[in-house]
Amino acid sequence: MSIATDHSFKGTLTRERVEWGYRKCIEARDNREQGAADCGYRMALNRDPMLLIALEAMAEQTGKMQEEQIGRLMRSPDATFGETRGTTEHQLCREAYRLADEGRAIRNFEWIYAAAAILCGYWR
């Protein structure tokens, strides 16, 4: 894949597109379409460049959503420990991206990898 293609693909991964991919992933999981999770997991094990771009974009977009929703609360001096930890979605996306990028993808994140595979067009 060329650098130009990388940038144009990453440019399409807007907040709305990431939310769409996540929704499609949840639908696949609810319909017990394990093939979606298997596809994403295989791509993560192979360190597929497009999948890594999608995972990075998912982590970035969930981080932006977290900042919009609870950013001020997280930085407040009166915040409890739990309020400073951030959202689960952002933490999971960030960790799934890190492990896949290091070549250590794990099955626990198979549905996050599935969402990224859906965004890449690898699964319906």
Side-chain angles (χ1 to χ4, degrees), residues 62-63 65-67 69-70 74 84-92 94:
T62 56
M65 287 184 249
Q66 170 184 283
E67 180 62 29
Q69 294 170 4
I70 61 171
M74 289 174 60
T84 63
R85 301 310 306 155
T87 61
T88 303
E89 291 84 1
H90 176 60
Q91 292 174 16
L92 290 174
R94 190 179 62 222

Side-chain angles (χ1 to χ4, degrees), residues 2 9 22-23 39 43 55 70 77 99 103 108 112 116 118-119:
S2 72
F9 174 63
Y22 188 73
R23 244 188 340 270
C39 174
M43 295 294 104
L55 285 169
I70 61 171
L99 289 174
N108 302 53
I112 294 172
I118 290 168
L119 289 171

Side-chain angles (χ1 to χ4, degrees), residues 17 20-21 24-25 28 36 113-124:
R17 184 80 175 149
W20 172 86
K24 296 303 263 180
C25 167
Y113 300 140
I118 290 168
L119 289 171
C120 293
Y122 295 147
W123 186 261
R124 307 175 230 194

Side-chain angles (χ1 to χ4, degrees), residues 11-79:
T12 66
L13 298 175
T14 62
R15 175 183 182 158
E16 293 76 19
R17 184 80 175 149
V18 167
E19 288 176 338
W20 172 86
Y22 188 73
R23 244 188 340 270
K24 296 303 263 180
C25 167
I26 298 301
E27 288 174 16
R29 188 195 65 200
D30 290 347
N31 293 332
R32 294 192 164 102
E33 295 179 27
Q34 183 63 35
D38 293 340
C39 174
Y41 182 62
R42 277 193 310 276
M43 295 294 104
L45 284 176
N46 293 330
R47 296 189 70 234
D48 180 79
M50 294 250 311
L51 187 93
L52 290 174
I53 291 169
L55 285 169
E56 182 181 25
M58 288 170 62
E60 288 173 4
Q61 293 296 335
T62 56
K64 288 178 186 177
M65 287 184 249
Q66 170 184 283
E67 180 62 29
E68 290 172 8
Q69 294 170 4
I70 61 171
R72 190 177 331 160
L73 174 65
M74 289 174 60
R75 292 185 301 278
S76 170
D78 298 329

